[in-house]
Amino acid sequence: QVQLVESGGGSVQAGGSLRLSCVVSRYYYSNYYLAWFRQAPGKEREGVASIDSAGNIRYADSVKGRFTISRDNAKNTLYLQMNSLKPEDSRMYYCAAAVGVIQYWHLLLPSVYNYWGQGTQVTVSS
């Protein structure tokens, strides 16, 4: 069983930055994908960024150039550096993990991820 624990959320003014972290247990899968998703109340969960075991990355268009996903294998940790934050980035953010093979165009679909963290809230004020 893979466990994921997010941290780093909080409140920030527009234009500010936050870095989210997600500690991943059982980090030794040979083929895995890690990703960040976000969700507003009453809205569908949307993909933000994904990274695979080879370091290939995909971003949602809405965050390109502002957010950076990375991972530290030695620390079993996934990161999301969020810069130039906007009020519309205010969401609950979740990290997720998937094993197996995922087609590129599916990397930001919640349905392909097997394991989820509990979420961390990000609030951006104008």
Side-chain angles (χ1 to χ4, degrees):
Q1 184 74 15
V2 178
Q3 293 183 332
L4 304 96
V5 180
E6 303 99 333
S7 61
S11 298
V12 65
Q13 288 191 330
S17 299
L18 284 173
R19 188 176 79 157
L20 306 183
S21 300
C22 175
V23 177
V24 184
S25 68
R26 301 192 65 176
Y27 204 68
Y28 50 83
Y29 288 102
S30 58
N31 293 297
Y32 63 88
Y33 299 82
L34 298 175
W36 288 99
F37 289 81
R38 62 186 185 182
Q39 188 171 23
K43 302 289 187 180
E44 292 187 354
R45 193 167 295 188
E46 61 175 347
V48 174
S50 68
I51 185 168
D52 68 15
S53 56
N56 298 305
I57 291 172
R58 183 178 178 186
Y59 293 103
D61 289 343
S62 58
V63 305
K64 280 181 182 177
R66 300 189 299 123
F67 290 11
T68 302
I69 189 172
S70 63
R71 60 176 175 29
D72 185 335
N73 290 344
K75 295 182 178 180
N76 291 359
T77 302
L78 175 72
Y79 299 101
L80 185 68
Q81 177 66 44
M82 305 186 295
N83 299 328
S84 302
L85 282 162
K86 305 175 182 179
E88 52 264 42
D89 294 319
S90 297
R91 302 278 194 277
M92 184 73 80
Y93 283 72
Y94 300 89
C95 64
V99 297
V101 177
I102 302 175
Q103 300 294 333
Y104 176 81
W105 48 88
H106 292 161
L107 286 173
L108 297 182
L109 293 180
S111 58
V112 304
Y113 288 84
N114 312 100
Y115 306 100
W116 293 86
Q118 82 288 350
T120 185
Q121 179 68 39
V122 171
T123 302
V124 184
S125 57
S126 57

